[in-house]
Amino acid sequence: MAKEDLVKFEGLIVDVLPNGTYKVDVDGHKVLAYISGRMRQNRISILLNDRVEIEMSPYDLTKGRITYRYK
């Protein structure tokens, strides 16, 4: 799948799970998301109630990757 095929959404962190995974509320739906590698490298911390940007595959809208944390 090409990078252009990904769908971007904005959501709110609802629950913090182990190993860099989070539950994110996107338009009333809960999505299981993990931190992207670039965010892990730069040690960007994500806390409860943070606004984040998520990339998801159009085939599976229940899982995603957190790519940006809004300030």
Side-chain angles (χ1 to χ4, degrees), residues 32-68:
L32 188 66
Y34 63 92
I35 303 177
S36 67
R38 180 79 57 172
M39 291 182 74
R40 270 185 211 261
Q41 273 185 337
N42 294 322
R43 293 191 174 102
I44 296 174
S45 63
I46 299 175
L47 303 173
L48 204 60
N49 295 325
D50 278 348
R51 268 186 35 219
V52 293
E53 183 179 280
I54 297 180
E55 289 181 347
M56 291 193 280
S57 166
Y59 302 109
D60 186 9
L61 296 175
T62 61
K63 297 177 185 154
R65 177 187 317 123
I66 299 173
T67 57
Y68 187 77

Side-chain angles (χ1 to χ4, degrees), residues 4-42:
E4 298 84 29
D5 296 341
L6 297 175
V7 182
K8 292 188 179 187
F9 290 104
E10 193 173 305
L12 192 72
I13 301 292
V14 176
D15 194 13
V16 179
L17 302 171
N19 296 331
T21 57
Y22 298 88
K23 286 216 178 188
V24 182
D25 184 30
V26 178
D27 297 330
H29 299 289
K30 301 285 192 279
V31 175
L32 188 66
Y34 63 92
I35 303 177
S36 67
R38 180 79 57 172
M39 291 182 74
R40 270 185 211 261
Q41 273 185 337
N42 294 322

